[in-house]
């Protein structure tokens, strides 16, 4: 299978922004194993800003644009250093691709991104993608920024005609209500269509360091659905769940791709 896995800051880092070593080691081990089993993988990883905050010892995620961009520039190195080191232990080679909205919107540029990704997969390398936060800014105009990696991973999944997009989050999936507030909330295992009722289940952004939340995940599901690609939201706190997921077990919430 060709699988795009998106991992969020809340999975990769502790609340203060420092690397969650145990979690990331386990994640790289499981992903390496899935590659060894013959799957093609692309990792879309957040965490640049969060890790930059940790490495620079800042009190929190900067709210100003230069602060965020500088933190991303520091954190992106840390992120790739970590992936390079951990995947190398399992003899896998990582490749960094940093994208802006223009790279995926402009047909010529997006064709080049597609060709590079195909070539990397043919080389059996593991592309690790993030938004190019150090240069993509809201200030130049919203058009230059994707802004969050849930949508970016969905765009990438469509670009490479992936079989599956997996969003690893700090929650098990989509619930009938906010499970932090409502004890009666239950996990929705399968979403066939993204109705206004489903959209109404999305709250705001989830954590202090990341920028996602359920709303951006549903936006991602809308993008993959149109391309006929299934998307699963699963809990990144247990990377081994990926084995169960690929064995066909009901894990998290699966958003079915429209038959195309
Ligand atoms: N690109 C941002 C980062 O690496 C994260 C975007 C997101 O959280 O979706 O820090």
């Amino acid at each position: 299978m060709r699988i795009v896995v998106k991992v969020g800051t809340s999975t990769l880092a502790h609340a203060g922004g420092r690397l969650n070593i145990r979690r990331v080691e386990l994640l790289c081990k499981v992903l390496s194993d899935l590659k060894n089993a013959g799957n093609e993988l692309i990792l879309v990883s957040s965490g640049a800003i969060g890790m930059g905050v940790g490495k620079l010892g800042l009190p929190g995620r900067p709210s100003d644009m230069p602060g965020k961009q500088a933190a991303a520039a520091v954190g992106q190195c840390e992120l790739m250093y970590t992936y390079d080191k951990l995947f190398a232990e399992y003899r896998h080679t990582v490749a960094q691709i940093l994208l802006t909205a223009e790279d995926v919107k402009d047909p010529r540029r997006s064709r080049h991104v597609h060709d590079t990704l195909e070539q990397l997969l043919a080389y059996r390398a593991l592309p690790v993608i993030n938004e190019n936060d150090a240069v993509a800014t809201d200030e130049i105009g919203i058009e230059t920024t994707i802004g969050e990696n849930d949508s970016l991973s969905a765009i990438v999944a469509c670009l490479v005609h992936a079989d599956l997009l997996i969003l690893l989050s700090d929650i098990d999936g989509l619930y009938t209500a906010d499970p932090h507030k409502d004890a009666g909330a239950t996990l929705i295992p399968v979403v066939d269509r993204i109705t206004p009722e489903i959209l109404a289940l999305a709250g705001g952004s989830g954590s202090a360091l990341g920028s996602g939340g359920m709303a951006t995940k549903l936006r991602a599901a809308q993008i993959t659905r149109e391309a006929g690609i299934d998307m699963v939201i699963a809990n990144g706190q247990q990377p081994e769940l990926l084995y169960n997921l690929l064995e066909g077990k009901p894990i998290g919430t699966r958003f079915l791709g429209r038959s195309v």
Side-chain angles (χ1 to χ4, degrees):
M1 281 210 337
R2 180 172 283 193
I3 307 162
V4 176
V5 177
K6 182 258 169 179
V7 57
T9 307
S10 58
T11 300
L12 297 171
H14 292 288
R18 302 303 290 260
L19 189 70
N20 186 328
I21 296 172
R22 184 166 58 170
R23 178 89 47 74
V24 175
E25 284 191 344
L26 192 51
L27 178 71
C28 293
K29 185 171 168 180
V30 172
L31 292 178
S32 295
D33 206 12
L34 295 179
K35 250 176 92 59
N36 287 352
N39 297 292
E40 288 180 323
L41 286 187
I42 294 177
L43 183 59
V44 175
S45 177
S46 303
I49 299 177
M51 276 191 204
V53 168
K55 197 161 185 198
L56 290 167
L58 305 179
R61 188 181 161 101
S63 51
D64 64 311
M65 196 50 73
K68 268 190 229 166
Q69 296 194 294
V74 170
Q76 184 64 31
C77 297
E78 174 89 338
L79 202 54
M80 286 314 295
Y81 169 75
T82 306
Y83 285 134
D84 195 23
K85 185 164 148 290
L86 294 177
F87 281 113
E89 280 181 24
Y90 302 104
R91 305 280 177 273
H92 288 295
T93 300
V94 294
Q96 170 183 258
I97 300 192
L98 299 177
L99 298 172
T100 62
E102 286 145 324
D103 300 321
V104 290
K105 279 188 190 148
D106 178 80
R108 197 175 56 91
R109 287 166 76 147
S110 99
R111 203 171 50 246
H112 283 293
V113 175
H114 165 268
D115 292 350
T116 307
L117 285 170
E118 288 289 349
Q119 189 62 63
L120 285 168
L121 293 174
Y123 286 152
R124 301 194 189 290
L126 172 57
V128 181
I129 300 179
N130 196 358
E131 184 157 11
N132 194 349
D133 294 313
V135 303
T137 71
D138 284 322
E139 281 165 348
I140 297 171
I142 194 79
E143 291 297 301
T144 65
T145 314
I146 301 163
E148 38 77 25
N149 279 352
D150 293 327
S151 299
L152 176 61
S153 63
I155 292 167
V156 168
C158 296
L159 194 64
V160 300
H161 306 290
D163 300 301
L164 181 65
L165 169 63
I166 304 170
L167 302 185
L168 293 179
S169 182
D170 55 358
I171 191 161
D172 290 341
L174 181 67
Y175 280 82
T176 52
D178 184 346
H180 303 298
K181 293 183 193 145
D182 185 341
T186 55
L187 184 74
I188 303 173
V190 178
V191 175
D192 191 6
R193 277 188 324 116
I194 301 165
T195 58
E197 292 75 26
I198 291 288
L199 288 173
L201 295 176
S205 170
S207 78
L209 287 171
S211 59
M214 213 31 96
T216 57
K217 290 180 178 48
L218 295 184
R219 199 178 307 146
Q222 282 170 317
I223 297 170
T224 48
R225 182 182 150 74
E226 284 310 303
I229 300 168
D230 279 13
M231 183 191 102
V232 174
I233 302 175
N235 199 326
Q237 285 158 18
Q238 295 158 274
E240 311 94 325
L241 286 179
L242 290 172
Y243 289 123
N244 303 347
L245 179 59
L246 295 192
E247 280 162 12
K249 302 207 174 102
I251 298 295
T253 300
R254 180 178 285 261
F255 295 80
L256 300 179
R258 195 170 53 95
S259 38
V260 283

